[in-house]
């Protein structure tokens, strides 16, 4: 299905049989914390400046334990978006504390990108995480639009 794929996990717990199977399928695993420069550099080496067609982010524990800083989450999201290919898709979960920012940010992305970024959201109240689907369409900006500090502050002041 994919010419090659990459998984990033805190620890690689695959057996030697699974590692051999993955190698035959051109699937590599990088063990480490994606929030560190060292692991991001390894990912960059693996990418070889090629854009990515599909990014699935589900850092359940990683995002729960990350500092409750919306700018840090925006930094990670911006990085993933920057390596996404045209027509590429990201499926991401954002920590629950960002829930108040999701709708204002989506509206901002749509308006700022001239709708060249297709973005949708599933944030049912009973879910622990916000789930986003982001597709980079032709003509989309190189960087994903982010909310200004003032917009973030206003969003947090509003009640849901």
């Amino acid at each position: 299905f994919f010419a090659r794929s990459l998984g990033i996990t805190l620890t690689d717990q695959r057996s030697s049989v699974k590692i051999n199977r993955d190698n035959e399928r051109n699937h590599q695993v990088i063990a480490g914390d994606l929030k560190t420069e060292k692991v991001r550099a390894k990912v960059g080496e693996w990418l070889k400046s090629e854009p990515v067609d599909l990014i699935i982010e589900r850092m359940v524990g990683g995002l729960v334990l990350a500092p409750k800083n919306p700018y840090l989450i925006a930094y990670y999201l911006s990085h993933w978006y920057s390596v996404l290919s045209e027509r590429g898709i990201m499926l991401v979960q954002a920590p629950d504390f960002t829930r108040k920012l999701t709708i204002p940010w989506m509206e901002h992305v749509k308006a700022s990108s001239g709708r060249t970024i297709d973005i949708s959201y599933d944030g049912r109240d009973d879910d622990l995480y916000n789930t986003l689907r982001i597709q980079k369409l032709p003509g989309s900006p190189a960087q994903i639009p982010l909310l200004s500090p003032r917009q973030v502050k206003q969003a947090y002041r509003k009640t849901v």
Side-chain angles (χ1 to χ4, degrees):
F1 187 72
F2 293 106
R4 63 188 189 127
S5 60
L6 175 68
I8 302 153
T9 182
L10 289 175
T11 59
D12 187 353
Q13 299 179 350
R14 298 173 299 159
S15 67
S16 59
V17 170
K18 288 184 179 180
I19 290 171
N20 289 335
R21 180 203 62 202
D22 287 347
N23 287 340
E24 290 172 6
R25 296 176 177 171
N26 293 321
H27 177 70
Q28 300 297 311
V29 171
I30 294 175
D33 186 347
L34 186 57
K35 297 186 302 283
T36 66
E37 188 58 41
K38 179 180 176 183
V39 172
R40 285 197 304 272
K42 286 182 183 179
V43 171
E45 290 170 19
W46 184 87
L47 285 172
K48 299 177 188 170
S49 300
E50 294 179 31
V52 177
D53 294 325
L54 177 65
I55 296 173
I56 301 172
E57 177 278 318
R58 188 172 185 269
M59 295 192 315
V60 176
L63 287 180
V64 170
L65 299 174
K68 291 187 177 183
N69 181 336
Y71 303 104
L72 184 62
I73 301 304
Y75 172 78
Y76 298 141
L77 187 67
S78 294
H79 174 71
W80 300 329
Y81 178 87
S82 73
V83 299
L84 195 63
S85 66
E86 184 175 283
R87 298 194 190 285
I89 296 173
M90 289 192 330
L91 305 172
V92 299
Q93 289 182 315
D96 193 51
F97 77 86
T98 64
R99 189 174 294 274
K100 287 184 178 183
L101 297 172
T102 305
I103 299 299
W105 175 67
M106 283 178 46
E107 291 169 355
H108 177 68
V109 167
K110 289 176 182 178
S112 299
S113 72
R115 299 198 177 270
T116 60
I117 299 173
D118 182 28
I119 185 167
S120 57
Y121 168 64
D122 181 5
R124 291 170 275 174
D125 289 337
D126 61 339
D127 288 348
L128 181 59
Y129 299 103
N130 297 307
T131 306
L132 297 160
R133 179 191 175 278
I134 302 167
Q135 184 173 21
K136 197 184 241 188
L137 300 174
S140 63
Q143 295 297 318
I144 195 161
L146 300 174
L147 295 174
S148 70
R150 182 178 301 226
Q151 291 168 308
V152 169
K153 190 175 183 179
Q154 289 171 345
Y156 273 120
R157 285 186 175 166
K158 293 180 182 177
T159 58
V160 175

